[in-house]
Amino acid sequence: MDTIAHWLDGKPFDGTSGHSAPVTNPATGVVTGRVALADAADVETAVAAAADAFPAWRDTSLAGRTQILFRFRELLNDRKEELAALVTAEHGKVASDALGEVTRGLEVVEFACGIPHLLKGGYTENASTRVDIFSIRQPLGPVAIISPFNFPAMVPMWFFPLAIAAGNTVVLKPSEKDPSSSLWLARLWHEAGLPAGVFNVVQGDKVAVDALLDSAAIKAVSFVGSTPVARYVYERGTANGKRVQALGGAKNHMLVLPDADLDLAADAAVNAGFGSAGERCMAISVVLAVGPIGDELVSKIAERAATITTGDSVRGADMGPLVTREHRDRVAGYLEAGESDGATVVLDGRGVRVDGSDDGFWLGPTVLDHVDPGMSVYTDEIFGPVLSVVRVDSYDEGLALINANPYGNGTAIFTNDGGAARRFHHEVEVGMVGINVPIPVPMAYYSFGGWKNSLFGDAHAHGTDGVAFFTRGKAVTARWLDPSHGGLELGFPRNT
Ligand code: NAD
């Protein structure tokens, strides 16, 4: 059985902890390998490799760094199907979805290829007589990236292309549920010519995370995962003096106004609710049906959701399994709770069977109607293929629900009224807003991030926030005396 190792100093590293955990194919329930779990000593070995590599990488010219980035981009583009297959084998999402994830990560690599332009500072000539001022941005040092199971390729790529391009070195701690993508990416960097120690991977769980948060050499932490862990990582990391961006969970609402195109809205709700089996932080999990459209919208959603096939990529299915048996059972538990709380089960995914694969972690698409904001299916992040419909009387009632929610990752409005849409994007307290677009994930040159309990810290991922996060600003004030100048001036600098 394969052991999935760490990667440091340009090669695999087995570690010395002696601990490992099983890795499972969610479509078959079969354990396909074991992943090493780092202890604090293994983490320090990886951090030391990153710290040793930093000075030379920081001082590598922008031309030198971008050549490696371009090579990495070309290799990744040529072999993206290989990476997508690894994602499917350990996460379970279907092939087209896995390829989509890799492509979104690739876009951040492409954005990072423009790092010479992104790092350009300002220059002011003659701020005072013969005194010039200029600003530069410099890398931080070794940085840590801690990622969740649901995007094992894309989420690390939200961060490491820019971190590396800006001159930092990286220690990535992927999810222990689907660790192979990170090693594949490490090998690709090696092939692209990245010097040893610039990109390292430690496999592990909370033990590895805590060691990274406590390591003095780590200057910044980019975390993505559930809200309780994000809050913890933010608090422990910042208490240790690190710069931290910690992206947390979500409960994304889609507000459908009575004037909306209901076919478009139903298509969008189904795609955004059930794509990747709902295991996306930008998945729509609540549809707010405004006014008289409720019955018609629910029937259009249910009709479409019922056509979704559940299964693995080999069968060409639309929707894959959930990531683990425990998670599947937890999501199914929410359906039971919703039913006993009085929600109407319009479509029930619990009975779904996939031929020849009885041990996969399956749950079909589920639609719950007449959900009340007091029910646990409404209040909790379920992270599965469950779409709840809440009936509201007005735009204002819908907006108030969204703004009262403790999460603020993504949201969408469906309407044909430009004025209503404009009012919504102005008033809603959420970081990413879609107008007739259900999953408004910004392109790499914008920044990705939510508000409230969906993000702790100030910087969103990638875009200009990403560049700022992985660099420190410095302002330099310089006076080069004219060759004809003479004499001393010991006073405080003045504008003359
Ligand atoms: P998770 O919080 O369980 O794990 C995330 C990472 O933290 C993993 O690397 C894991 O090993 C580590 N970890 C887990 N428990 C820990 C603990 N107690 N102490 C320290 N480290 C710990 O999240 P997950 O289940 O892997 O991912 C799903 C969650 O991630 C969902 O809540 C989803 O909304 C969220 N997510 C958010 C975004 C976003 O952009 N806001 C994107 C993707 C996923």
Side-chain angles (χ1 to χ4, degrees), residues 66 162 187 223 244 260 281 312 340 349 360 378 394 457 463 475 479 489:
T66 45
L162 277 173
R187 287 203 176 86
F223 171 90
V244 181
C281 67
D312 61 18
S340 66
Y378 179 81
S394 64
R479 173 160 56 194
E489 166 61 279

Side-chain angles (χ1 to χ4, degrees), residues 58 63 145 148 173 186-187 219 252 268 276 278 310 347 364 392-393 399 424 459 479:
R58 173 194 59 200
I145 298 167
K173 205 301 284 173
R187 287 203 176 86
K219 301 300 174 210
N252 304 317
S276 205
T310 306
L347 185 68
V392 292
D393 289 335
L399 179 78
F424 182 73
R479 173 160 56 194

Side-chain angles (χ1 to χ4, degrees), residues 4 30 124 172 191 214 357 446:
I4 300 147
V30 170
T124 302
L172 167 64
E191 215 176 301
D214 293 344
S357 192
Y446 284 88

Side-chain angles (χ1 to χ4, degrees), residues 117-379:
H117 178 71
L118 297 167
L119 287 184
K120 277 192 327 204
Y123 194 100
T124 302
E125 188 187 37
N126 229 25
S128 185
T129 309
R130 282 190 299 278
V131 173
D132 305 331
I133 305 179
F134 57 97
S135 63
I136 52 180
R137 299 207 66 87
Q138 297 185 322
L140 308 173
V143 300
I145 298 167
I146 301 162
S147 55
F149 81 83
N150 68 322
F151 285 108
M154 181 187 77
V155 165
M157 282 196 275
W158 279 353
F159 306 106
F160 70 63
L162 277 173
I164 289 173
N168 303 280
T169 54
V170 168
V171 179
L172 167 64
K173 205 301 284 173
S175 169
E176 61 276 40
K177 296 190 178 97
D178 41 18
S180 292
S181 301
S182 58
L183 271 192
W184 189 94
L185 288 161
R187 287 203 176 86
L188 207 71
W189 274 122
H190 186 64
E191 215 176 301
L194 191 72
V198 176
F199 182 74
N200 310 279
V201 177
V202 283
Q203 310 289 359
D205 53 17
K206 176 175 168 52
V207 173
V209 172
D210 287 350
L212 286 168
L213 295 174
D214 293 344
S215 169
I218 293 291
K219 301 300 174 210
V221 178
S222 298
F223 171 90
V224 180
S226 58
T227 286
V229 184
R231 185 185 277 114
Y232 165 79
V233 164
Y234 182 75
E235 287 172 358
R236 187 154 171 171
T238 52
N240 285 333
K242 301 183 198 316
R243 185 179 284 193
V244 181
Q245 53 180 179
L247 284 72
K251 190 82 187 176
N252 304 317
H253 294 59
M254 173 172 154
L255 183 65
V256 185
L257 300 192
D259 72 327
D261 178 327
L262 294 191
D263 287 307
L264 178 73
D267 284 342
V270 169
N271 292 336
F274 303 120
S276 205
E279 290 174 329
R280 288 181 181 144
C281 67
M282 288 293 277
I284 290 293
S285 85
V286 178
V287 173
L288 298 172
V290 178
I293 56 168
D295 288 346
E296 194 184 346
L297 183 61
V298 169
S299 97
K300 283 179 187 291
I301 289 174
E303 196 180 287
R304 286 160 171 77
T307 68
I308 291 175
T309 54
T310 306
D312 61 18
S313 290
V314 181
R315 295 170 173 81
D318 300 317
M319 196 178 92
L322 292 179
V323 68
T324 58
R325 179 170 288 113
E326 297 70 37
H327 186 54
R328 191 268 318 274
D329 294 347
R330 182 179 160 275
V331 176
Y334 273 108
L335 304 189
E336 272 136 43
E339 206 171 13
S340 66
D341 286 346
T344 311
V345 182
V346 180
L347 185 68
D348 192 338
R350 284 169 290 191
V352 82
R353 293 278 169 275
V354 176
D355 283 348
S357 192
D358 288 346
D359 295 328
F361 311 139
W362 310 111
L363 188 68
T366 296
V367 180
L368 300 177
D369 193 10
H370 298 290
V371 168
D372 183 273
M375 298 176 185
S376 63
V377 281
Y378 179 81
T379 54

Side-chain angles (χ1 to χ4, degrees), residues 369-428:
D369 193 10
H370 298 290
V371 168
D372 183 273
M375 298 176 185
S376 63
V377 281
Y378 179 81
T379 54
D380 296 4
E381 180 183 37
I382 298 177
F383 223 55
V386 183
L387 201 53
S388 295
V389 180
V390 177
R391 312 279 187 118
V392 292
D393 289 335
S394 64
Y395 165 89
D396 285 328
E397 191 185 339
L399 179 78
L401 272 179
I402 300 172
N403 285 351
N405 199 275
Y407 298 105
N409 213 40
T411 190
I413 186 168
F414 277 72
T415 178
N416 280 316
D417 181 338
R422 188 176 183 284
R423 194 171 143 191
F424 182 73
H425 78 67
H426 180 67
E427 294 178 334
V428 76

